[in-house]
Structures are given as C-alpha cells and as structure tokens.
Amino acid sequence: MRPVRTSVVTAAAAVAALTAVTGCADKSDAKAGGADGSVQVTATDSACKLSKTDFPAGHVKFDIENKGSKVTEVYLLFPDDRIVAERENIGPGLKQQLTAEVKAGSYEVACKPGMKGDGIRQKVTITGGTAVKRNPQLDAAVAEYRKYAQEQADETLPKVKVFTDAVRAGDVDAAKKAFAPSRLGWERTEPVAESFGDIDPKTDTREDGLEKGQKWTGWHRLEKSLWVDGKIGDDEKALATELDKDLTDWQKRVGTAEITPTSMANGAKELLDEVATGKITGEEDRYSHTDLSDFKGNVEGAQKAYELLKPVAAKNDAALTTELDKQFASLNTLLDKYRTDKTSYDFTSYDKVSDGDRKQLSDAVNALAEPLSKLAAAVAK
Amino acid sequence: MSDTTDATGTGRSPSRRALLGWGGAGLALGAAAAGGTVAVVKGGGSDAVPAADTGAAVPFHGDHQAGIATAVQDRLHFASFDVTTKDRAELVQLLKDWTVAAAAMTEGKTVGEGAYGGLAEAPPDDTGEALGLRPCRLTLTFGVGPSLFAKDRFGLEGKRPEALVDIEQFPGDNLEPGRSGGDLCVQACADDPQVAVHAIRNLARIGMGKVAIRWSQLGFGKTSSTTPDAQTPRNMMGFKDGTRNVSGTDTKALDDHVWVGAKDGSAWMTGGSYLVARRIRMHIETWDRTSLQEQEDVFGRDKGEGAPVGKAKERDEPFLKAMKPTAHVRLAHPDSNDGVRILRRGYSFTDGTDGLGRLDAGLFFLAYQRDVRKGFLPLQRSLARHDALNEYIQHVGSAIFAVPPGVRDKGDWWGRGLFG
Ligand SMILES: [Cu+2]
C-alpha cells in the first residue's frame, strides 16, 4: 500500500505521447515544426480558437491566451483521447505555452474552461515526417503483461478464500498461515491495482494510512486482529467477506487497466519503491512480520514487467539490461538466504532480521531500483 | 605541472601550486555566475583569501587534491562508503564516473545531462537541489580505507601503504561500527550546506549497486583554520583550539607534515596524505555547568581571547609549563610531541538531540598528515591517557583513509595510481 498514488493511469496518460511519438530527444526534428511560427490558441469561456489547424510534424508550440473568465486548461489529444501534452491552470488573462513533439496524424486540441468536462474541441492535422508507428514488440509486451496481471488476480482469489474462510471459521492459526500467501498475487501487480484508485484503500491500507472518517478494512486490519489481539470476532468475519468482495472487484477490473510500455517500466520501479519505503522498515506487515514474502512478490512482479520489455530495452540500451539482469539476480540470491526452500514463500520473520541485514537488503534494493528507473527511457527511445 | 582543460572544457584550471597559495596567492575572483564560471586563480603576492560569499570555484585538477590545504570552507558533508561490488573493473569505472561528476560539480555544474529537460518519464541525472547556486568553493576529496586492501577483494593487498594502519582502540573510545571505517570516503566541503549535500547525494546515487553509504556526517562552523591570519574558530565548547594548525600556505610545513613524499613508500601515494576522521561527542550539558576556571584549565587557554595561560593574545607562544599537566593545549602542542604537527580540518556537528534529551553534538575531527604513525597516533595516545578534556568528550566514530594525490587532468581519475 502506498499513501501517495502515482497511478498507472496517470503515468500512462503522461507517457502516452512518448510511446507513439518516438525520437523526442531528437533536436534536429525541431526545425520541421514550430520554427516557422507557433500556433496561437485563444481560449474563452465558449470558444477554443486556433490560428491554424494544419501544421507540420515535429516540435509544435502553442501560444495560449485565456481571454475567458474561468481558469482553463488546454490539451493536445490523440483521436482516442489519450493525452499528448497538456497545460493546466491557466488563469483568466494569462498567457502560457504548451510544446510537444508530434508525429503526423490526426489530433484534437481541447480547451476546458473551468477545467471540467470534455472541453471545446478542435480537430487538427499534422503532416510530414514519419507517421505514428506502433512497435509490435511493445504491443506484445503490453498484451503479455495484461495477461499476467489477470492471471495473478485469478490465482489470488482462491488463496484469499483460504484466508477468509479460516477467518470466518474462527481459526486463528489457519488464518495466520494463509495471510501471506493470500497477498502474493496482489503484491506482484500492485501498481495495476492501485491504478483504480478505489480498491487499494479498501484492501491494503495500514492503520496509519487511514484518512479521517475512513473505515479500516482489508488485509492489515485482519492482520492486527490475528497477531495482536489473537482472536476473531463477528467484525473480523464480516471484514473477511468484504475483502473477498473488494478483491473480486479487482479481479474483474484488471483487464481494463490502461497499460503502456512506459507505465509497465515505471510500475516495475514503483514496486521496488514499495519495498524501499514500506518493507525494508518492516512497516508493511508490522504485526505478522511477513514482509519478506511481500518483498519477494514485489520483486517478481517487477521482474516480470522487465523481462517483457527487455527485448526492446536491450536494443536501445544493452548496458542497462546487463546491469538489470545482474541486479535482479543478486537481489534474488540475497532473498533466498531468508528461506530454506527456494520454491516456498515461507520467509524468515522480518523481526528476526538484524539491522545490518536490513541495510544489506536496502542496498540491494537501491542497486536494482536506480537502474530500473532508467528502463522507461530505454523503452521509449 | 601544466594547466589543463577541465572536464567540461570551460577553461584553464590553475595549477594546484597556485591553489596551495590560497592564502598567499592573489585571487582574481571572477564573479562566479550561477551555472559556474570558474574563478581564475593567479599566482601572486597579495594576501587575498576568497571570501565565502564570492561563491567562487576551487579548481579540481592539480598535484594535490583540493580540500586539504584549501582554505577551510564553512560546511561539510563527509561520507564513508562500503564497496558492494566484487568486480574490480566495475569499481574502476565507478571511480572514473565519480571523477567526471566531481569535476563538474566543483565548477557548479550539474551531473550528467542535468536536472531537467530530458525525457519526461525518466528521472533526471542530477538531483537538482543545487540549481542556481554558485560553486561555493566546493571541494571533493577522495580516499581509500584499509578494508579495500583486504585479501581476495581487488588484488590490492600488495599496495597497502604501511602508513595506512589499523587504528587501535584508545582508552575511553566507545566506537560505533555504524559510524566507523569504510572502504572509500568523500569529503565534501563548501560554503553552502546544500552544495555539499548535493555533491554527496549525487555521488551516492551514481554509485548505487557498486558502493553503498556506510555512514555520513554533516558539519558546520569549521573548528580550525588553514589560513593563519584568520581567527581560529570556536568549537562547541566555546573555545579556540588548534591555533597552531598547519597553514595552507606554509609549503615547507605541508611538505614536512602533510604531503606524502616520494621516499615514503607506496609510490601511488606520493603527493597524497593520510586522513583520520573521528566523531567526538561532547557531553555538552555537563560542560555547560562546569566552572569557567575549570573550563579554562582544561584547555589551557582563556575563554575570551583564546590566549594560552599567562599570555595576552591567542597567537602568543604558549608557556606550556604554566599549564596544568593535563591541559589540552599542553598535551597537543608539538613541543610535547617531538614536533609532530597535523593539518586539522574539523567541523562542529549537531545532530539534534538523543533520546535522553541531550544535545548530540561535538567535533567531527578531520586531520591530514604525512604519516599517521608519527601524527595522529602518538598524539591521541597521549591525549587519551592524560587529557583533562576526556571527562567531557567521547570518541564514538573512527576511520582512516589514504588520500591519493590530485587528479592531474581530464584523463586522470580518483585512484588511478592505485588501480592503474
Ligand atoms: Cu585539540
């Protein structure tokens, strides 16, 4: 669980431009576009006027002026509404600039007075240069990852049911045993689950992460009952059923998550961030101390996304993938020290891991997460 | 040595000789603009010392590393690293990468491709918190600890200098492993704390996967001066200490006591120095309720002027026998130690309060010397046994590093003599 949610959706929106518009860093491209003059956008409360709607591919610059009375925002959109570029919070009377590297194709410009709704749309045509081309390898990677996320959810539900059945049966020991395994699939694909915004707060919130007035539900609430109170009451049984329901919701919606190659890459990095902030300190599973099982799940999920993107990333940045292979291997080797059987997810209780060993784990996570943060760039090149 | 073009090609770096004369050489300080114009240091006769507020750059290349004889800056971030890679080539590449980044940062430039303007969904190379700040006399000084020479590590066991000793445990030491030792160190000194922290943070980031920070220490209020005309700054006990410090302009004293000579053994260390770092916690609260008489007796100086017992001025020659036999100044004076002198660059530190509400403060002692066996060790043996100050201090961290000679030019890198 993460208190601040940089959702896959947000990430996807921000990076959509990149996956379709390759060669952003190529400055020679710049001359093709805006050099002969930028596009004037005059936004009012009822109009979104462009000085031209047909312009060359490359570096496009919009000079926006808000002549209306409401705060507005201006978007450049793909035909399917994905965002190429945006400029928010343009107050009345203000001028702002919006720039983007754009390839040939059909787009829309939207002004949103009041920053609400679909906005006032203008179709624009961008010509010249090379047309938007999809990379079939990356498309395949996304499709494969979507399948993986779905599988994880499908396989998780029965394991969750073992846990929740035990809770409903009032069997503390059986519930404790089933707790960590019930979380694995979730931990592997957490950024996808978090992208929905509403599921994670219900299932994976820690007590200190609650907002005022928010009812504490989900795994960690039950974890506390089992490990701290050592008993199961009617409330817990009801919460178990609620957890089933919320995770079924997750299972149904996984397929609809917006996933792009760069959101996959950054999602992998976010999984390591989860480890670096929540698990290394033992905060995540503070009652059960099953942090290392979650840790392993996060690493596996990150590795899955990476492996799928690797063929493309290796072509663009071979040194990076060599480094990532090495760091994934060494982190996994280190984690293996904390389980007797390499096929089991029965890890050493985290309260038995010394400060020195935690430091070593933390260093290994940093050693992997730092190069992993460069994966998105390697994929987008 | 010859003038060389710096790493990013912005101009000529003055020779380290000229820099050595920091206190004695005239400094034509260019108004260093944000983004880092390198101030030109010219040889000359005036006594100008660059003031902290000029924001000037200290040249990175030279015979000796900057940050030793360089006039002491106001702030410190010192970091000790464990080398986590086992791959020698990888470590060497890191040292090369570090050197390039260090050269850029001392000029007030960003690391790599900068802090913004790159791909939107990738993190920038530079962390960005020093954007808009001037070089602020940033120096980055690199050293290697004894553990790097261990058998079955990097094949360096034959290169360990004899002078790079394992420091013994002194009576009264209460050393914490988490504040001691380290395979590598980087001392970042600057007139702005943000500049020093930025430098260590970026080096740590570049090093991830190859090295990991073992411990680090922030320092403020330099407690010693390498510029003899400047007032000796006060330590956290309110006293001036280290008046007889080796001056950064005293070429002879530097050659005699600080720089490793060609005949000292370990050729790769010629022009380098040995650094001892000690985190000395002060029992601030008990010191504060100690009588003025006792405080002055402990140091052997008066609190107001800093004059040695019976004298009028700070720099008056002390009459050691007038002091108590346990007085700090008496015990630390070269005359009590066969003429031994060390170059001190310590800083005060305050890391908030401990769990008992006591100020976690003291002196982060940094001393450079040509040979620790003739410098810090005998001095500390004597102090640990007799110094009246021991009632009010405790050494809680300790490390020693061999600090190689300067990076000569763009083709050179930290540790080349050792690994090359
Ligand atoms: Cu002293």
Side-chain angles (χ1 to χ4, degrees):
Chain A
M1 177 266 161
R2 296 181 318 131
V4 182
R5 234 162 263 114
T6 320
S7 72
V8 169
V9 168
T10 320
V15 302
L18 243 130
T19 55
V21 187
T22 55
C24 283
D26 186 3
K27 290 282 185 277
S28 63
D29 235 32
K31 292 192 184 70
D36 56 341
S38 53
V39 183
Q40 311 296 315
V41 181
T42 312
T44 66
D45 293 348
S46 56
C48 184
K49 226 171 76 193
L50 271 65
S51 61
K52 50 185 171 183
T53 54
D54 202 328
F55 32 90
H59 193 73
V60 178
K61 194 168 93 187
F62 296 94
D63 281 327
I64 306 159
E65 186 170 10
N66 183 3
K67 289 192 169 167
S69 64
K70 297 175 182 164
V71 178
T72 193
E73 54 193 3
V74 175
Y75 289 84
L76 179 63
L77 301 163
F78 287 110
D80 63 357
D81 262 13
R82 280 177 300 139
I83 299 162
V84 180
E86 63 182 310
R87 176 69 69 227
E88 294 175 297
N89 275 316
I90 309 168
L94 291 184
K95 290 180 182 175
Q96 294 259 317
Q97 276 190 348
L98 171 63
T99 58
E101 293 284 337
V102 193
K103 291 211 165 181
S106 295
Y107 298 83
E108 282 188 344
V109 169
C111 301
K112 288 191 190 175
M115 309 217 295
K116 275 191 198 119
D118 288 343
I120 306 156
R121 304 289 182 109
Q122 274 286 340
K123 284 203 189 320
V124 299
T125 311
I126 295 170
T127 49
T130 45
V132 174
K133 240 193 250 157
R134 299 197 68 102
N135 180 334
Q137 260 184 309
L138 288 176
D139 284 348
V142 169
E144 217 22 66
Y145 185 72
R146 189 182 295 285
K147 217 172 93 194
Y148 171 76
Q150 187 65 58
E151 277 166 14
Q152 289 307 311
D154 293 349
E155 286 167 18
T156 294
L157 279 212
K159 288 178 185 156
V160 170
K161 193 146 180 307
V162 174
F163 172 61
T164 53
D165 279 349
V167 173
R168 277 184 293 261
D171 188 340
V172 173
D173 288 339
K176 278 182 169 180
K177 237 182 96 194
F179 174 75
S182 77
R183 293 174 50 74
L184 262 174
W186 171 274
E187 289 294 323
R188 287 185 185 122
T189 57
E190 210 166 345
V192 176
E194 283 174 347
S195 75
F196 301 118
D198 56 336
I199 302 177
D200 178 80
K202 288 190 249 175
T203 57
D204 199 24
T205 294
R206 300 192 301 255
E207 193 169 13
D208 50 352
L210 292 172
E211 287 178 34
K212 207 171 174 230
Q214 186 188 341
K215 187 187 162 204
W216 191 22
T217 58
W219 270 304
H220 295 302
R221 164 70 178 76
L222 291 166
E223 181 197 2
K224 190 179 181 187
S225 294
L226 292 171
W227 270 272
V228 179
D229 310 329
K231 58 174 192 259
I232 295 168
D234 289 345
D235 279 357
E236 282 73 24
K237 291 177 185 175
L239 284 168
T241 301
E242 224 174 306
L243 183 62
D244 283 340
K245 191 180 100 276
D246 290 334
L247 290 173
T248 306
D249 183 28
W250 163 58
Q251 182 197 19
K252 281 194 193 133
R253 284 159 72 188
V254 164
T256 67
E258 182 164 357
I259 301 171
T260 68
T262 38
S263 77
M264 273 169 69
N266 281 327
K269 186 212 66 124
E270 283 167 26
L271 281 169
L272 269 289
D273 291 346
E274 297 254 339
V275 176
T277 51
K279 273 122 202 169
I280 285 295
T281 55
E283 284 168 88
E284 177 79 28
D285 300 311
R286 63 185 66 168
Y287 314 114
S288 63
H289 308 297
T290 53
D291 303 86
L292 286 176
S293 166
D294 285 9
F295 188 150
K296 181 68 180 175
N298 288 156
V299 173
E300 285 178 339
Q303 192 158 6
K304 179 70 185 183
Y306 163 63
E307 295 291 352
L308 292 172
L309 295 170
K310 192 170 143 187
V312 174
K315 242 183 279 169
N316 293 332
D317 190 345
L320 179 68
T321 52
T322 305
E323 178 70 13
L324 285 170
D325 284 340
K326 204 178 90 182
Q327 297 300 346
F328 267 116
S330 71
L331 182 55
N332 281 320
T333 307
L334 187 59
L335 277 172
D336 282 343
K337 281 174 51 182
Y338 296 94
R339 54 178 178 177
T340 42
D341 173 359
K342 281 184 195 173
T343 59
S344 126
Y345 287 84
D346 234 343
F347 284 87
T348 307
S349 180
Y350 203 58
D351 57 338
K352 302 279 184 311
V353 178
S354 72
D355 285 349
D357 288 341
R358 289 182 183 200
K359 166 85 162 61
Q360 197 184 23
L361 286 164
S362 174
D363 288 345
V365 168
N366 283 335
L368 172 59
E370 187 65 28
L372 200 52
S373 72
K374 299 185 170 86
L375 182 61
V379 170
K381 254 177 206 165
Chain B
M1 69 159 285
S2 60
D3 287 353
T4 52
T5 306
D6 65 80
T8 35
T10 33
R12 287 156 66 79
S13 307
S15 77
R16 186 63 55 186
R17 281 278 168 229
L19 188 64
L20 258 190
W22 225 196
L27 297 170
L29 290 175
T37 312
V38 178
V40 180
V41 182
K42 285 193 176 130
S46 103
D47 285 321
V49 171
D53 59 11
T54 61
V58 176
F60 181 74
H61 297 107
D63 285 347
H64 307 292
Q65 289 196 61
I68 303 172
T70 308
V72 183
Q73 302 92 322
D74 291 335
R75 302 292 185 133
L76 169 82
H77 191 182
F78 187 95
S80 160
F81 295 85
D82 288 325
V83 175
T84 52
T85 182
K86 293 187 167 72
D87 183 338
R88 181 181 163 120
E90 210 173 73
L91 174 57
V92 165
Q93 187 56 50
L94 169 66
L95 297 179
K96 289 176 179 172
D97 293 346
W98 263 8
T99 308
V100 170
M105 288 191 287
T106 53
E107 281 183 34
K109 296 197 166 105
T110 51
V111 167
E113 289 178 14
Y116 57 87
L119 284 174
E121 57 292 313
D125 287 348
D126 188 280
T127 55
E129 75 273 27
L131 286 177
L133 296 174
R134 294 179 293 180
C136 298
R137 296 194 299 172
L138 172 69
T139 54
L140 293 164
T141 314
F142 166 80
V144 292
S147 45
L148 198 72
F149 298 87
K151 248 180 142 177
D152 302 324
R153 282 199 83 185
F154 299 102
L156 299 174
E157 51 269 37
K159 286 204 163 180
R160 176 169 173 175
E162 272 182 39
L164 188 66
V165 296
D166 293 310
I167 297 183
E168 72 224 43
Q169 166 109 18
F170 297 100
D173 280 3
N174 183 19
L175 303 180
E176 301 167 32
R179 297 190 190 276
S180 299
D183 294 326
L184 305 175
C185 76
V186 178
Q187 169 197 281
C189 297
D191 292 318
D192 185 315
Q194 187 121 334
V195 169
V197 170
H198 169 262
I200 294 298
R201 176 175 164 192
N202 280 273
L203 293 179
R205 192 175 164 210
I206 292 168
M208 274 175 188
K210 292 115 204 161
V211 296
I213 289 206
R214 182 180 172 85
W215 54 269
S216 85
Q217 182 66 55
L218 293 170
F220 64 92
K222 59 184 181 189
T223 59
S224 49
S225 164
T226 54
T227 39
D229 303 333
Q231 279 267 329
T232 301
R234 289 171 190 273
N235 61 21
M236 290 293 284
M237 289 171 156
F239 275 78
K240 297 179 183 178
D241 188 25
T243 299
R244 280 290 301 268
N245 201 20
V246 175
S247 152
T249 57
D250 187 344
T251 317
K252 176 154 193 325
L254 287 170
D255 284 338
D256 287 349
H257 299 284
V258 179
W259 305 131
V260 175
K263 289 180 189 139
D264 291 343
S266 294
W268 67 272
M269 274 297 290
T270 305
S273 191
Y274 294 96
L275 167 64
V276 172
R278 305 276 288 184
R279 188 178 194 268
I280 306 173
R281 173 95 189 256
M282 293 172 177
H283 304 312
I284 296 287
E285 291 77 10
T286 57
W287 175 258
D288 289 346
R289 42 186 182 252
T290 299
S291 73
L292 177 63
Q293 185 63 57
E294 158 124 5
Q295 289 187 2
E296 292 187 337
D297 285 349
V298 162
F299 274 94
R301 290 182 186 281
D302 79 276
K303 200 165 189 174
E305 165 60 29
V309 172
K311 300 293 172 103
K313 292 281 168 207
E314 184 199 342
R315 286 175 202 285
D316 287 350
E317 198 52 44
F319 179 57
L320 298 179
K321 286 189 180 143
M323 300 173 187
K324 299 219 159 154
T326 57
H328 182 70
V329 166
R330 181 166 176 174
L331 289 165
H333 197 272
D335 289 355
S336 310
N337 295 282
D338 297 325
V340 161
R341 292 178 71 188
I342 53 179
L343 185 152
R344 306 175 4 147
R345 277 187 78 90
Y347 285 82
S348 288
F349 69 84
T350 302
D351 294 338
T353 37
D354 65 15
L356 300 171
R358 304 177 304 178
L359 201 60
D360 183 3
L363 169 69
F364 189 64
F365 172 94
L366 293 168
Y368 288 90
Q369 59 249 282
R370 183 174 169 183
D371 191 333
V372 181
R373 294 164 300 180
K374 294 179 188 140
F376 174 77
L377 290 187
L379 202 60
Q380 187 55 28
R381 273 178 206 133
S382 158
L383 289 173
R385 234 172 305 155
H386 306 297
D387 193 353
L389 198 52
N390 292 338
E391 202 180 324
Y392 303 99
I393 61 173
Q394 188 172 51
H395 289 233
V396 294
S398 177
I400 179 170
F401 299 96
V403 176
V407 174
R408 298 303 189 95
D409 50 41
K410 262 182 86 176
D412 196 4
W413 41 278
W414 277 342
R416 189 188 55 163
L418 176 58
F419 287 96

